[in-house]
């Protein structure tokens, strides 16, 4: 009932007969046809000049503001754009085929950088103008867009980013990897490329670190690995101080965890030696829980593949942890969120975050910005 919904292009199988293989050629061809049709109808309009844009999202009275721009695939390949997650080949291949067929990046990559006063100044100035888009989506998130069209402002932003040598993928590792691989494919197909072609760049929104909030990414496990409740509590007491609490427990500090088991909440606090770990990955709360509880006590060897564990984004609240533990699972853990500084440390070390370490909200909306590769 929403003929202009961008979901038609992002998930084009919804426009094909029920049961269509979502990875069949006709799905990607349909996405390309739909996008081309919407451009032809004037639903999407190409600006005549090169601009940057400001994209602001507001959720629960909290605002985050970023700059919409195209990032270089060479910066990705040279590790100026830093990663902190592995990608899965099947998910990459889907997005590669989508970008290649549509000849466009339709979903922006969520990038982060350390705040810069000059860039902040341009953003503040331009946000004094009336936005070109200003709406609240059905999920209650407000979206606002401004155009940065003053040549001096454009020059300032470009010059400042030339001196920023660390940019981080906050969210969208698969989309980024896919966009880069399409660019490399186009380079092979166009051996005389000079670097200015659009396929050398991919659509991004760049947020200063001070703008971002990472939410908790919680865990729930199906059973106690053959242990009784008393045996389980005894085992985890080797590395954590356990205290029963009277209500839902949301950790307020690093190295603390909430645990819901048999309709009771507990607080867990990592003991002394665990607090002295300096390795940027092993010191993460998600690592402490995995390495000293989920792995050795509950037998969760690889959380990426083990069917006994599930992950629940913080946006769903602690009540979802209770519901799962009281229904199809046994024990749930609430986490203290990974910080943006911890993410930067891991990426700067050339290391990878454990799976399900970060949950960013609000999500970037597809369809507001499209980067044509033509």
């Amino acid at each position: 009932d929403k003929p202009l919904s961008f979901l038609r292009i992002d998930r084009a199988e919804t426009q094909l007969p029920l049961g269509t293989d979502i990875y069949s050629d006709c799905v990607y061809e349909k996405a390309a046809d739909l996008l081309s049709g919407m451009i032809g109808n004037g639903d999407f309009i190409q600006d005549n000049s090169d601009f940057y844009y400001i994209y602001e999202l507001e959720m629960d009275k909290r605002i985050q503001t970023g700059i919409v721009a195209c990032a270089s695939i060479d910066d990705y390949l040279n590790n100026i754009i830093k990663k902190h997650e592995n990608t899965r080949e099947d998910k990459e291949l889907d997005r590669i085929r989508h970008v290649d067929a549509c000849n466009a990046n339709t979903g922006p990559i969520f990038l982060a950088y350390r705040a810069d006063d000059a860039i902040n100044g341009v953003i503040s100035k331009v946000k004094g103008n009336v936005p070109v888009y200003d709406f609240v989506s059905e999920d209650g998130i407000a979206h606002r867009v401004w155009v940065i069209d003053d040549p001096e402002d454009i020059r300032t932003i470009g010059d400042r980013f030339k001196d920023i040598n660390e940019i981080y993928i906050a969210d969208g590792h698969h989309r980024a990897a896919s966009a880069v691989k399409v660019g490399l494919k186009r380079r092979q197909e166009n051996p005389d490329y000079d670097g200015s072609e659009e396929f050398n760049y991919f659509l991004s929104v760049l947020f200063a670190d001070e703008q971002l909030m990472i939410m908790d990414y919680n865990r729930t496990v199906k059973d106690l690995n053959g242990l009784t409740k008393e045996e389980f509590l005894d085992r985890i007491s080797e590395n954590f101080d356990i205290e029963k609490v009277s209500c839902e427990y949301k950790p307020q500090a690093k190295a603390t965890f909430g645990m819901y088991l048999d309709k009771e909440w507990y607080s867990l606090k990592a003991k002394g030696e665990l607090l002295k770990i300096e390795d940027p990955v092993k010191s993460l709360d998600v690592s402490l829980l995995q390495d000293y509880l989920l792995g050795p006590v509950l037998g969760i060897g690889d959380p990426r593949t083990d069917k006994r564990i599930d992950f629940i984004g913080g946006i769903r609240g602690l009540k979802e942890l209770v519901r799962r533990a009281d229904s199809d699972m046994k024990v749930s853990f609430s986490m203290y969120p990974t910080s943006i500084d911890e993410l930067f440390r891991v990426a700067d070390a050339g290391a990878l975050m454990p799976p399900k370490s970060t949950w960013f909200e609000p999500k970037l909306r597809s369809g507001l910005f499209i980067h044509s590769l033509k």
Side-chain angles (χ1 to χ4, degrees):
D1 62 343
K2 295 180 175 59
L4 295 181
S5 170
F6 202 75
L7 190 63
R8 299 184 328 139
I9 292 168
D10 258 355
R11 299 297 300 270
E13 68 271 14
T14 59
Q15 308 303 301
L16 295 169
L18 197 64
T20 300
D21 180 358
I22 63 173
Y23 300 121
S24 63
D25 291 343
C26 63
V27 172
Y28 303 101
E29 292 164 2
K30 185 67 173 177
D33 289 344
L34 290 168
L35 178 58
S36 177
M38 292 184 77
I39 293 172
N41 292 339
D43 298 317
F44 296 111
I45 301 168
Q46 176 67 58
D47 282 339
N48 294 322
S49 300
D50 291 337
F51 300 138
Y52 295 116
Y53 304 86
I54 293 173
Y55 181 20
E56 178 181 274
L57 302 98
E58 182 175 353
M59 182 180 79
D60 298 333
K61 298 183 179 180
R62 185 187 167 277
I63 290 173
Q64 66 181 44
T65 306
I67 291 177
V68 184
C70 286
S72 163
I73 69 172
D74 288 314
D75 282 350
Y76 179 97
L77 295 168
N78 295 331
N79 208 38
I80 289 174
I81 297 174
K82 301 188 176 200
K83 310 90 184 164
H84 63 80
E85 279 184 14
N86 276 324
T87 54
R88 281 172 37 197
E89 187 176 2
D90 58 335
K91 291 182 69 174
E92 271 189 40
L93 183 59
D94 170 52
R95 289 299 94 184
I96 288 170
R97 295 177 67 190
H98 192 276
V99 171
D100 206 22
C102 291
N103 216 0
N105 306 132
T106 59
I109 315 304
F110 192 146
L111 299 180
Y113 64 96
R114 291 181 176 87
D116 178 270
D117 288 342
I119 295 173
N120 285 348
V122 171
I123 291 173
S124 295
K125 184 184 84 170
V126 176
K127 281 176 64 174
N129 303 325
V130 176
V132 294
Y133 303 139
D134 188 351
F135 66 95
V136 177
S137 53
E138 290 183 357
D139 55 3
I141 308 300
H143 303 262
R144 303 180 191 95
V145 175
W146 292 262
V147 181
I148 302 177
D149 54 10
D150 180 87
E152 187 60 35
D153 292 338
I154 292 172
R155 191 177 306 112
T156 296
I157 291 173
D159 287 346
R160 293 307 304 145
F161 272 109
K162 286 177 185 175
D163 294 331
I164 296 175
N165 293 317
E166 293 95 14
I167 294 173
Y168 304 84
I169 299 177
D171 201 8
H173 282 78
H174 286 92
R175 291 195 304 278
S178 303
V180 170
K181 288 183 178 178
V182 171
L184 294 176
K185 177 175 178 286
R186 298 291 175 90
R187 286 181 174 183
Q188 287 184 330
E189 296 167 349
N190 299 272
D192 295 330
Y193 77 92
D194 62 15
S196 64
E197 299 85 358
E198 293 301 327
F199 58 72
N200 292 288
Y201 301 90
F202 58 89
L203 180 64
S204 304
V205 185
L206 299 104
F207 293 89
D209 54 354
E210 61 193 16
Q211 292 288 321
L212 299 179
M213 177 184 73
I214 302 177
M215 297 187 76
D216 41 309
Y217 213 152
N218 302 312
R219 277 88 167 118
T220 187
V221 180
K222 198 163 190 65
D223 55 64
L224 297 185
N225 197 29
L227 300 172
T228 66
K229 178 179 177 180
E230 291 71 25
E231 290 171 336
F232 171 65
L233 292 173
D234 185 59
R235 286 284 307 277
I236 63 176
S237 67
E238 295 171 12
N239 289 303
F240 299 88
D241 291 321
I242 307 171
E243 180 182 345
K244 190 180 292 187
V245 294
S246 59
C247 58
E248 292 179 346
Y249 186 78
K250 187 177 179 67
Q252 299 299 308
K254 184 170 167 49
T256 62
F257 309 84
M259 183 175 73
Y260 179 76
L261 173 66
D262 283 350
K263 301 188 181 302
E264 294 180 313
W265 277 96
Y266 301 82
S267 71
L268 308 181
K269 296 183 180 179
K271 289 187 176 180
E273 289 304 311
L274 276 61
L275 303 176
K276 298 176 183 178
I277 299 173
E278 295 185 358
D279 181 277
V281 175
K282 292 185 181 299
S283 62
L284 295 171
D285 278 17
V286 290
S287 296
L288 295 178
L289 189 69
Q290 174 61 38
D291 295 344
Y292 295 94
L293 196 159
L294 298 179
V297 180
L298 290 179
I300 305 294
D302 186 349
R304 289 169 295 189
T305 58
D306 198 311
K307 302 300 184 185
R308 295 169 52 235
I309 188 169
D310 202 1
F311 303 89
I312 300 172
I315 191 71
R316 302 185 70 179
L318 298 185
K319 285 182 171 50
E320 181 65 8
L321 294 181
V322 170
R323 187 190 74 80
R324 292 296 301 276
D326 285 346
S327 56
D328 62 320
M329 305 301 259
K330 178 64 175 176
V331 57
S332 295
F333 300 92
S334 57
M335 310 289 296
Y336 186 69
T338 303
S339 73
I340 193 70
D341 285 337
E342 286 178 316
L343 186 154
F344 285 178
R345 284 184 65 214
V346 171
D348 285 340
L352 298 174
M353 297 276 247
K356 312 297 185 184
S357 294
T358 57
W359 182 281
F360 285 93
E361 286 287 350
K363 306 294 188 187
L364 307 182
R365 198 167 186 85
S366 293
L368 279 175
F369 311 98
I370 296 173
H371 171 230
S372 174
L373 303 186
K374 297 177 183 177

